[in-house]
Amino acid sequence: MSYTNYQSHKIPGFLTYLNDLVRYRHLCFNLVASDLRSRFRRSRLGILWAVIQPLAYSLIIAWAWGAIFKADSYWEFAVYVFSGMLVWEYFSNSIVGALEGLNNAVGYLRQSRVPFFIFQVRVPLTGLVTFLAGCVGLFLLMAVLGFLPPPGGHLLLLPAFILVLIAFMTPLAIMFSVLGTQMHDLKHIMNLSIQALFFLSPVMMKREFMDSPHLAALKFVNPMVPMLDMFRDPVVYGKLWERQDVLTIYAWIAGLWIAAMVVAIRGGRRIVFAL
Amino acid sequence: MSGQWPEGLRVISSGKRDGSADRQDQRFTAVLPAKVGIEITDATLQYPIGPFVRGSLKSSLLGMFGHRSTIRQAEFVDAFREVNLSVSEGERVGIIGSNGSGKSTLLRAMAGIYPLKVGSISVVGQIGTLLDIGLGFEIDATGRENIYYRGMAMGYGRKDIAAAEAEIIEFAGLGDFIDLPMRTYSSGMYVRLGFAVSTQFLPDILLIDEVFGAGDARFADRAVQRMMHVVQSAGIVMLASHDLGLIERICTRVIWINSGSIVRDGPPSVVLPQFQQYMIDG
């Protein structure tokens, strides 16, 4: 059960696949740009909504939860929630979008042999642009409030964090895009699961709660705990990453990539029949 | 086709009818034609007619309480089986057969869209497809933007598409609509733009599924002329159609598929009358 095109594929095996990805890279980037344009088309504020939405949400949550948890500083808590919302929205939107990633690409995939990967990374790459716009808003807010940590080596960890975020989100997007073609219940299951995970992650819950003996295991079981730490430590607190967070998230990334490869290889091109 | 492929190029078939892999036994050395060619060996493709995996959570839960009949298992049919076919440069091959005989599926397998269950397909040459030209558009993007997306999905680079952009727009004849989102287009306008892009670039191997004209009467005449130009330019044309007159006019060879198997393969003057008689006899 082989298919070989000796015109476009002069190299064997996995290299063929990489060759295809390079060949179709422009399609991928243009579809990401198209998604961004269509999301903000006919909107007066455009991509500013990527900042306004989590910021407004953070201000409201900080006001409500700050009163409940008796936070010392309203604005400190607002920045905490804002930074958490940026990472969380990227994560949750990418998962939900990935579930329909291949289904939405049926028009392409049933007409020519385009690599599935192009459409699997489309959602997380689009989300990444929104995430980066949100980061600019976060820095501006912190600058206005005088919360920016002094410049230092920790700032180099921000681009490193973006790589970690992509390395973490890509295998998830691959898996959920494949499973989304086959399990129509998954959309509902994931909506519930994401909501549950939100309340088990330090997005608006104070990080100290995660250190309590009852919730200590969450630091390893829930990858969003170290992920949020690795974003806030350099950006909000001006600190370097903690070793435990780094090891935990690397283990998650390795595990997710293995799982994604298994799902992708088992599905193969047969996935197109399910579209 | 054995003996026509270049020295040193080994084309490997990795599957047997029973699903086991035996690369050593299945290997053959063949000489590829100078530019383009298609070699299909013992190809079987199974198409799922039920759900790809078990349907829903509800059916699984019902199954736990003894309602096993409610669980629909994945079922497959052989869309085509044990197909062997060689197509050389210059051939214009018509594929005929009744509905559901496997014509479109065979074209999609040749394009590498559908995977085989067993057997192999080897292709030399860049493939162009005219399968569902009205599909595969970003409806929130403009027609102009979609020219690029469609062209890139066909494997062309931005420069190639930019060079052809004006000609595509002129041929599609969409006027100012070209800079409006495609959700404002009529279904005919979708087809016109899809046709204009898909036929702009001249592939080595052209796979056509029933698409030979498009749009309203005025556009259809231009579309047929353009198709004839594309057909004449391609190294190989595979045309699946129910229009026997069109096949007789264009093709140098006809393959008749019935229930997933090739039952006749020969010149149009021989195969078409046999097929017509078969259809009359029922």
Side-chain angles (χ1 to χ4, degrees):
Chain A
M1 48 182 188
S2 68
Y3 181 86
T4 315
N5 187 324
Y6 288 94
Q7 184 74 16
S8 55
H9 303 153
K10 293 191 174 70
I11 45 178
F14 187 66
L15 290 177
T16 297
Y17 186 67
L18 294 179
N19 186 49
D20 276 352
L21 294 184
V22 172
R23 187 173 169 218
Y24 287 101
R25 68 190 185 283
H26 293 301
L27 176 64
C28 183
F29 296 139
N30 277 276
L31 289 177
V32 168
S34 168
D35 286 345
L36 287 167
R37 275 195 297 267
S38 63
R39 185 170 170 186
F40 300 113
R41 186 167 267 157
R42 293 190 294 176
S43 158
R44 285 183 189 278
L45 296 178
I47 201 164
L48 275 179
W49 281 113
V51 180
I52 295 168
Q53 208 167 321
L55 175 62
Y57 188 80
S58 307
L59 295 178
I60 295 165
I61 292 293
W63 175 70
W65 284 66
I68 295 168
F69 291 105
K70 304 202 186 318
D72 297 333
S73 160
Y74 170 82
W75 288 108
E76 267 181 35
F77 192 54
V79 166
Y80 176 85
V81 176
F82 189 10
S83 59
M85 283 304 298
L86 290 179
V87 179
W88 180 262
E89 291 228 321
Y90 174 72
F91 169 76
S92 59
N93 290 342
S94 296
I95 295 279
V96 172
L99 285 168
E100 292 297 323
L102 289 180
N103 287 323
N104 291 340
V106 62
Y108 296 100
L109 296 174
R110 292 185 82 140
Q111 288 199 66
S112 49
R113 192 180 166 87
V114 186
F116 293 160
F117 189 72
I118 299 296
F119 304 99
Q120 290 168 322
V121 295
R122 178 180 177 177
V123 173
L125 284 182
T126 304
L128 191 67
V129 177
T130 315
F131 170 77
L132 291 173
C135 285
V136 173
L138 176 65
F139 281 122
L140 286 175
L141 178 68
M142 290 170 65
V144 169
L145 296 172
F147 289 173
L148 271 181
H154 58 87
L155 285 177
L156 295 173
L157 291 179
L158 183 57
F161 174 78
I162 290 163
L163 292 178
V164 168
L165 202 57
I166 296 169
F168 175 77
M169 206 59 238
T170 304
L172 280 170
I174 291 172
M175 276 190 288
F176 283 112
S177 65
V178 173
L179 297 174
T181 64
Q182 302 169 12
M183 298 170 64
H184 298 288
D185 300 299
L186 195 60
K187 196 165 50 182
H188 307 290
I189 294 171
M190 287 314 299
N191 278 334
L192 276 174
S193 305
I194 287 170
Q195 278 183 27
L197 196 63
F198 179 79
F199 291 106
L200 295 172
S201 304
V203 180
M204 56 185 186
M205 190 187 348
K206 293 181 92 174
R207 175 64 180 83
E208 295 78 56
F209 292 152
M210 293 289 154
D211 293 326
S212 72
H214 303 298
L215 298 175
L218 275 179
K219 287 188 283 190
F220 305 100
V221 177
N222 177 3
M224 292 311 290
V225 178
M227 189 63 87
L228 286 161
D229 283 351
M230 289 171 71
F231 180 60
R232 285 181 177 131
D233 280 349
V235 172
V236 179
Y237 305 123
K239 293 195 305 182
L240 297 178
W241 288 340
E242 290 190 12
R243 183 187 168 89
Q244 180 184 298
D245 288 335
V246 174
L247 291 176
T248 307
I249 213 70
Y250 282 2
W252 266 97
I253 289 170
L256 287 172
W257 271 104
I258 291 169
M261 297 285 270
V262 169
V263 169
I265 290 169
R266 280 190 64 182
R269 286 205 75 85
R270 287 185 309 134
I271 296 163
V272 78
F273 291 131
L275 299 176
Chain B
M1 199 159 174
S2 184
Q4 298 174 17
W5 302 67
E7 285 293 326
L9 179 57
R10 297 177 76 81
V11 182
I12 300 166
S13 173
S14 60
K16 277 184 167 181
R17 185 73 183 90
D18 62 3
S20 64
D22 190 347
R23 285 171 170 261
Q24 289 299 322
D25 291 347
Q26 296 275 317
R27 282 188 181 205
F28 65 95
T29 304
V31 179
L32 289 171
K35 190 183 172 192
V36 293
I38 301 172
E39 181 81 35
I40 302 177
T41 310
D42 294 333
T44 295
L45 187 145
Q46 289 191 329
Y47 199 100
I49 54 171
F52 192 60
V53 293
R54 289 186 180 191
S56 66
L57 193 62
K58 183 185 76 178
S59 62
S60 303
L61 289 172
L62 285 172
M64 290 168 64
F65 295 100
H67 289 258
R68 294 221 164 265
S69 59
T70 61
I71 299 176
R72 296 167 64 208
Q73 299 284 350
E75 295 172 17
F76 297 88
V77 289
D78 285 352
F80 56 80
R81 58 185 167 278
E82 296 177 358
V83 167
N84 288 283
L85 182 68
S86 276
V87 184
S88 304
E89 184 170 4
E91 287 197 287
R92 308 279 179 263
V93 183
I95 306 174
I96 58 173
S98 47
N99 287 328
S101 56
K103 305 185 296 292
S104 303
T105 310
L106 181 61
L107 286 180
R108 283 196 161 85
M110 286 182 198
I113 296 167
Y114 287 165
L116 299 177
K117 176 69 176 172
V118 288
S120 73
I121 295 179
S122 301
V123 175
V124 178
Q126 187 174 23
I127 289 180
T129 58
L130 283 166
L131 303 175
D132 291 316
I133 55 173
L135 296 179
F137 288 111
E138 303 293 319
I139 59 165
D140 284 325
T142 65
R144 192 185 298 275
E145 289 165 350
N146 269 291
I147 290 172
Y148 282 83
Y149 306 151
R150 174 65 70 98
M152 286 171 184
M154 291 164 67
Y156 295 97
R158 176 168 272 280
K159 282 183 185 170
D160 295 330
I161 302 165
E165 181 185 329
E167 199 176 330
I168 292 170
I169 293 170
E170 192 275 328
F171 187 83
L174 296 175
D176 293 340
F177 272 92
I178 199 68
D179 289 313
L180 292 179
M182 283 198 68
R183 60 185 151 70
T184 63
Y185 286 22
S186 68
S187 55
M189 292 162 87
Y190 269 79
V191 172
R192 280 159 64 165
L193 186 62
F195 185 88
V197 181
S198 300
T199 54
Q200 177 66 34
F201 304 99
L202 302 175
D204 300 324
I205 299 168
L206 182 62
L207 309 177
I208 311 168
D209 187 10
E210 291 288 0
V211 180
F212 216 83
D216 51 30
R218 200 177 57 168
F219 187 79
D221 288 342
R222 297 170 62 209
V224 169
Q225 283 176 22
R226 176 128 151 173
M227 274 303 295
M228 293 304 288
H229 170 64
V230 175
V231 163
Q232 285 161 7
S233 306
I236 287 176
V237 174
M238 305 291 296
L239 167 64
S241 179
H242 292 288
D243 186 343
L244 302 186
L246 180 69
I247 287 192
E248 189 172 24
R249 204 163 82 229
I250 291 176
C251 299
T252 57
R253 177 182 171 189
V254 176
I255 292 165
W256 171 8
I257 298 181
N258 190 26
S259 301
S261 297
I262 295 178
V263 292
R264 294 284 188 283
D265 181 354
S269 58
V270 175
V271 179
L272 289 179
Q274 291 176 344
F275 178 68
Q276 283 170 321
Q277 189 61 47
Y278 170 80
M279 294 302 281
I280 291 168
D281 295 344

